[in-house]
Amino acid sequence: MTAVPSAIANAPLREDDFRLPDDGGEALEGALATRDRPADLVAVVRRLTQPDGADETVHWGRNYLFRTGFDTADGRRLSVVVKQFRNQGPRARLDRLRGRGCKATRSWRIACALDRAGVPTARPVMLVRSARRDGPSFFVSRDLGAVTELRAFTRAFNAGTIAGDFPHLDADALLAALGRAARRMHDAGIFHRDLSIGNVLLIGDLGQPDRPRRPRAEDLAIIDLNRARLAPRIGRWRRGRDLGRLGLMRRRDRLALLRAYWADDFRLHHRLVDLLCHRGFHGKIALKRIVRGALRGVGLAALGRTVRSWLLPRRAHAHIPPATAGAGLRDRSVWDALSDQPHQHAGRWQKTAVRLADAPGHLRHTARALRTAPRVWRRYVRLRRNLRRGAPVPWR
């Protein structure tokens, strides 16, 4: 493979739109960073939008994240992470009516803004959307390699064990880097709205005995951007709401974070705003846990899920490929080759129809088992009776 100068790989972001026609697959459209243009755009986009093209699953849940790679037009092998979003349900329809676009579009827009502003994040590579309004969408970013969630460090900070748990990491430098990265994001006009301890990553190793790690803002990555907003000005309350979500509970650690964030402009009212936002957010989380625990205790949570499952139509999970065109009702009710899990492409009454059609065969097998049961039981009793007599037992 031809060596490519790092200046090309880290070139400024320029966007280019594309659209793939319906050539037997799903019609797709989107945008890409020209610095990471694939050698074969059509083939790469088709593969990135198929979960069976994944090299490794990163996360499977409400959204699906997987790791893969492709060859760029300038001869590099680029490792990327693909995040697949579902765009079904009332909230997604409301977002479309409000003109906000799908989650992948919002992630792409904010990631491009962060990248241009020099704010540390996973650099955007590609946005892919289905031409169907409720079809899936995909946000593709560069793979960050080895990362550690801020969550791990936050728990150690709160327990007072950061020095023992991460002896080769400069904890004060980490707090300072976090504060500077958040300030850089807000000064760029970006209100994250979900700046939690799981959405900030430290890139690379945690330091060595002979080479302690002093993180910088550039060593962090702010991710999960689909809830973020662009604003011409981020006021102190919005800044406080973002910082308040960071789960640093000790006064010393929060002051270190705020001093790094506000630098020479740190004032008493900044501390008061942080107290209100931080305690308000984490108090709301604690109240939710209490309410949910009470509902589970009286069985209302399970009842609510049951009622909702009957009122709302079932949909196939977005990460499971669609059923084959012309597939019969039974095929759409059973499994697919990728996940070997219930396909869910058949509705509740369609599945009931399949079960009713299978009922005569099940009844015949049940009747045969019932007729055979007395003979099986008598044979079992004879075997038990002769078990310890020492003589061989004939077994036909």
Side-chain angles (χ1 to χ4, degrees):
M1 183 178 295
T2 305
V4 179
S6 60
I8 297 177
N10 299 318
L13 175 65
R14 292 185 177 86
E15 300 177 50
D16 197 4
D17 295 335
F18 66 85
R19 182 178 181 84
L20 304 187
D22 183 0
D23 53 358
E26 189 169 17
L28 299 170
E29 61 185 13
L32 58 84
T34 55
R35 65 192 174 200
D36 296 324
R37 180 182 293 276
D40 186 341
L41 177 63
V42 175
V44 168
V45 171
R46 292 294 184 198
R47 184 166 58 82
L48 293 181
T49 55
Q50 294 298 322
D52 55 359
D55 295 334
E56 179 186 1
T57 294
V58 178
H59 174 74
W60 179 294
R62 180 173 56 183
N63 302 309
Y64 179 36
L65 282 81
F66 59 90
R67 185 175 286 111
T68 186
F70 61 85
D71 294 326
T72 64
D74 53 20
R76 287 174 292 131
R77 180 66 182 176
L78 188 66
S79 179
V80 297
V81 172
V82 182
K83 186 172 185 179
Q84 179 185 12
F85 295 96
R86 292 184 289 177
N87 295 302
Q88 300 168 338
R91 179 173 295 181
R93 287 195 292 270
L94 180 60
D95 286 341
R96 289 195 292 270
L97 289 174
R98 294 167 63 185
R100 292 181 55 202
C102 63
K103 291 182 178 180
T105 300
R106 299 200 294 270
S107 298
W108 171 261
R109 185 185 305 132
I110 299 299
C112 291
L114 289 173
D115 190 63
R116 290 193 176 98
V119 181
T121 188
R123 304 191 76 181
V125 173
M126 194 179 301
L127 160 69
V128 185
R129 295 185 299 253
S130 168
R132 293 185 292 114
R133 292 177 61 84
D134 61 347
S137 57
F138 306 83
F139 171 63
V140 185
S141 61
R142 291 190 188 180
D143 183 13
L144 296 172
V147 296
T148 307
E149 286 187 358
L150 183 65
R151 185 190 319 275
F153 309 115
T154 302
R155 290 171 177 167
F157 274 118
N158 294 339
T161 60
I162 185 71
D165 292 348
F166 303 98
H168 310 307
L169 180 70
D170 190 324
D172 293 333
L174 176 62
L175 290 176
L178 177 61
R180 286 192 289 270
R183 177 64 182 266
R184 200 180 295 177
M185 176 184 69
H186 289 151
D187 288 348
I190 297 164
F191 177 32
H192 193 284
R193 299 179 70 241
D194 193 17
L195 194 66
S196 65
I197 55 179
N199 290 336
V200 181
L201 308 176
L202 175 64
I203 306 170
D205 60 43
L206 302 181
Q208 304 296 330
D210 58 339
R211 187 169 52 88
R213 182 81 185 273
R214 290 181 55 83
R216 304 166 302 161
E218 293 77 12
D219 297 326
L220 302 177
I222 298 173
I223 61 170
D224 206 357
L225 307 173
N226 59 276
R227 294 186 61 191
R229 300 285 186 274
L230 292 172
R233 179 178 176 275
I234 307 295
R236 67 170 62 99
W237 283 105
R238 284 186 170 182
R239 294 171 186 257
R241 285 172 59 188
D242 265 353
L243 294 177
R245 288 174 175 266
L246 296 171
L248 294 165
M249 299 302 183
R250 297 196 309 172
R251 179 176 180 273
R252 174 189 179 278
D253 300 329
R254 292 213 65 82
L255 285 175
L257 173 69
L258 292 173
R259 289 193 179 101
Y261 180 90
W262 292 106
D264 297 334
D265 194 35
F266 183 48
R267 299 288 185 271
L268 176 62
H269 64 270
H270 295 145
R271 172 62 175 158
L272 295 177
V273 169
D274 180 70
L275 280 172
L276 290 173
C277 293
H278 181 257
R279 294 188 178 181
F281 174 75
H282 291 282
K284 180 181 71 173
I285 297 299
L287 180 61
K288 281 184 177 180
R289 289 173 180 165
I290 293 172
V291 172
R292 287 172 179 169
L295 292 177
R296 282 195 298 268
V298 298
L300 290 180
L303 178 61
R305 287 193 297 270
T306 302
V307 172
R308 184 173 61 181
S309 70
W310 280 99
L311 293 178
L312 298 178
R314 289 183 177 180
R315 296 182 181 273
H317 200 280
H319 314 325
I320 294 178
T324 305
L329 186 59
R330 189 178 303 279
D331 292 334
R332 288 186 285 124
S333 303
V334 187
W335 65 80
D336 72 291
L338 172 66
S339 64
D340 197 27
Q341 296 293 322
H343 209 303
Q344 302 298 335
H345 284 290
R348 182 178 292 107
W349 296 112
Q350 292 174 319
K351 292 183 178 181
T352 301
V354 172
R355 295 188 181 105
L356 290 175
D358 291 341
H362 294 320
L363 289 175
R364 285 194 299 271
H365 289 300
T366 303
R368 187 177 304 161
L370 291 175
R371 288 197 305 270
T372 311
R375 179 161 53 86
V376 172
W377 178 255
R378 290 193 298 269
R379 176 63 170 159
Y380 169 73
V381 170
R382 286 197 301 271
L383 289 172
R384 285 290 302 270
R385 187 183 305 127
N386 298 328
L387 181 63
R388 303 189 184 282
R389 292 188 175 182
V393 177
W395 188 277
R396 296 192 300 275

